[in-house]
Amino acid sequence: MSNNLLTKSITEQMQEEAEMQIREKKKVVDYNTIEYPIEVIVDKYLNGINDDSNEIFIPDYQREMAWDQVRQSKFIESILLGLPIPYIYVADISGEEEEENYSETKDGRLEIIDGTQRLRTLVNFLNNELQLDNLEKLKKLEGFRFSDLNIARQRRFKRTTLRVIQLSEEADEEARRDLFERINTGSVELNEMEKRRGIIRGAFLNVIDELARSERFINLCAFTEPSIRRVEPQEFVLRFFAFLNNYQEFNKYKNITEFLDKYLETMNRTDKNTLQSMKNEFYSMLDCVERYFPTGFRQGKNKDRTTTRIKFESLAVGIALALRQQDNLQLASVDFIDSKEFREYTSSNASSSRNKVIRRIEYVRDQILG
């Protein structure tokens, strides 16, 4: 706490101004609290999922399944023990479809704001795709699937109710995104890129998602399945463009998170032609890596070893900068990646100060240009 706060004296006028600001900024969000049996919640999610007409759906900004078997098992154990379960938050999206795209199958659907991991766990368990493991209290259920429970217990489980906070159709997209941010900011379960996908939506983020799914990109970086679920590829793509187009301004921001957030917010307002040019530049960079770097962005000589963020952004951005100066690059050697200098610039303890960011990116650029 700063000394200014310790010595600050709150006056009656300050109290009145604070109260006025609370009333001004307070969002009036209409909502209902509903209790649904597990069986009903799962049915509302699965019925129509293939043609995107399911009543309860997971929006694209929510992450994929991230809970491992143990985490899922612990959640199921909590339900079986009758322990309190966190609310699931959903929002009625009626009235948001453009008239030309209007479809009755879309009307009245419920977008999940928070609770996707719990819902997917329930689906996995009821579909016998989850085998309980590493339970804390119900040790005798180790190795059980849903179908292994006796019929009476199966019925009781399916009619166990979960509480759902349902925002009315009056809650606009801004209110939903704000709620998502406040639920998840500071949570150990979401990394910064996952938060961005829930908070800073836009055209550029759609491009990032598209590029992050490129098989070539995933293979060149050797991303693991867990890292893909945690949207690491998206983080790498965002870093590539942010440093490529703004690395000399890095010191204007208090940290890397603010640097990336501000860049993403700005680029979400970019026109389609610029975004297409950016995609082309990304793929050109990958072409160069595929052609001249046998192990891609991976660490060392091991083709199965994933890359680091520092090594990726140094190589990728340095290559792209070189291509901007000479689009028909012909490299005689890439031996510099085994040099003492490059290892030092991209080591795990290499800092992200402005000078060092510039040094390692421009080192790669200059080595490639010769």
Side-chain angles (χ1 to χ4, degrees):
M1 185 178 294
S2 68
N3 292 332
N4 290 336
L5 288 178
L6 288 173
T7 59
K8 186 175 183 179
S9 177
I10 306 299
T11 65
E12 184 175 342
Q13 181 181 353
M14 292 167 63
Q15 289 177 331
E16 292 176 358
E17 291 174 351
E19 180 62 26
M20 289 177 60
Q21 187 175 56
I22 291 173
R23 293 180 180 182
E24 177 187 353
K25 299 296 184 182
K26 183 177 179 181
K27 290 180 179 289
V28 179
V29 180
D30 187 24
Y31 68 90
N32 295 315
T33 303
I34 306 170
E35 292 198 11
Y36 284 122
I38 287 174
E39 185 176 30
V40 172
I41 294 176
V42 170
D43 181 68
K44 287 178 180 293
Y45 171 67
L46 291 179
N47 186 14
I49 192 172
N50 292 330
D51 61 0
D52 196 29
S53 64
N54 45 341
E55 181 177 350
I56 295 179
F57 72 99
I58 298 174
D60 59 2
Y61 67 80
Q62 296 274 20
R63 61 180 174 177
E64 296 299 322
M65 189 67 194
W67 284 5
D68 59 17
Q69 183 179 7
V70 173
R71 183 68 184 273
Q72 293 182 68
S73 298
K74 186 175 182 180
F75 175 64
I76 297 300
E77 182 183 38
S78 296
I79 294 176
L80 291 169
L81 289 171
L83 298 176
I85 303 300
Y87 287 52
I88 292 175
Y89 288 80
V90 300
D92 188 325
I93 63 164
S94 297
E96 293 193 4
E97 295 291 328
E98 297 292 337
E99 289 187 6
E100 63 268 26
N101 296 326
Y102 177 79
S103 169
E104 290 185 356
T105 61
K106 305 288 186 183
D107 198 19
R109 298 177 74 200
L110 300 174
E111 172 186 296
I112 294 184
I113 299 173
D114 185 67
T116 61
Q117 301 302 308
R118 280 163 274 159
L119 177 55
R120 286 188 169 115
T121 296
L122 292 172
V123 171
N124 287 344
F125 189 54
L126 292 183
N127 285 343
N128 289 311
E129 296 171 1
L130 172 63
Q131 188 173 25
L132 300 179
D133 183 36
N134 201 27
L135 301 177
E136 296 180 1
K137 302 291 185 182
L138 303 176
K139 296 294 187 181
K140 293 189 181 296
L141 290 182
E142 293 279 346
F144 272 53
R145 299 179 188 273
F146 179 73
S147 60
D148 296 320
L149 300 173
N150 64 48
I151 296 299
R153 181 53 57 191
Q154 291 180 31
R155 290 169 178 160
R156 293 187 182 104
F157 183 88
K158 289 194 290 186
R159 66 173 179 253
T160 299
T161 59
L162 299 181
R163 290 186 176 182
V164 177
I165 298 292
Q166 179 179 319
L167 304 186
S168 76
E169 58 191 288
E170 301 302 321
D172 59 14
E173 183 173 357
E174 180 184 355
R176 300 201 305 273
R177 297 292 185 261
D178 185 52
L179 178 59
F180 178 85
E181 176 183 9
R182 291 178 186 279
I183 290 172
N184 290 295
T185 297
S187 168
V188 296
E189 295 183 16
L190 290 181
N191 60 39
E192 293 301 328
M193 195 64 211
E194 288 171 318
K195 293 176 190 174
R196 293 183 187 107
R197 297 182 77 239
I199 300 167
I200 316 175
R201 297 299 303 175
F204 181 52
L205 188 56
N206 294 337
V207 168
I208 289 175
D209 283 339
E210 177 186 337
L211 297 177
R213 291 191 293 268
S214 164
E215 286 191 20
R216 288 197 299 155
F217 173 55
I218 290 173
N219 291 335
L220 287 169
C221 293
F223 288 115
T224 63
E225 284 300 322
S227 68
I228 292 173
R229 289 196 297 270
R230 298 286 287 180
V231 295
E232 277 288 309
Q234 283 86 342
E235 172 86 11
F236 277 47
V237 175
L238 174 58
R239 282 171 171 260
F240 167 74
F241 286 117
F243 281 111
L244 175 62
N245 296 311
N246 215 20
Y247 72 94
Q248 292 183 331
E249 307 298 319
F250 181 61
N251 65 322
K252 293 184 178 180
Y253 302 90
K254 62 184 179 181
N255 54 41
I256 183 66
T257 298
E258 182 183 64
F259 173 66
L260 296 176
D261 286 349
K262 295 299 183 183
Y263 183 77
L264 178 56
E265 290 173 359
T266 299
M267 296 307 296
N268 271 335
R269 300 188 291 270
T270 301
D271 63 89
K272 291 182 179 179
N273 291 335
T274 299
L275 293 177
Q276 183 59 53
S277 296
M278 294 173 74
K279 288 198 292 184
N280 294 341
E281 189 165 29
F282 183 81
Y283 287 127
S284 294
M285 178 272 295
L286 292 186
D287 289 341
C288 183
V289 174
E290 275 188 320
R291 184 173 182 182
Y292 294 108
F293 295 80
T295 58
F297 298 107
R298 304 172 187 86
Q299 289 291 87
K301 303 294 186 181
N302 190 337
K303 291 188 176 183
D304 295 325
R305 189 176 177 189
T306 187
T307 188
T308 64
R309 292 177 180 181
I310 291 178
K311 181 176 181 181
F312 168 77
E313 67 198 29
S314 301
L315 273 178
V317 175
I319 290 169
L321 289 174
L323 286 169
R324 285 182 175 181
Q325 295 188 35
Q326 189 176 334
D327 59 7
N328 59 342
L329 279 175
Q330 301 290 326
L331 304 186
S333 172
V334 292
D335 290 343
F336 72 88
I337 63 173
D338 295 319
S339 68
K340 179 181 177 182
E341 290 85 357
F342 184 70
R343 288 197 300 270
E344 177 186 338
Y345 296 160
T346 59
S347 65
S348 59
N349 61 354
S351 75
S352 289
S353 67
R354 177 180 181 271
N355 289 339
K356 291 189 176 180
V357 166
I358 292 175
R359 183 177 65 177
R360 58 179 174 249
I361 287 174
E362 295 186 347
Y363 171 79
V364 172
R365 180 200 62 189
D366 295 343
Q367 291 295 314
I368 289 177
L369 290 174

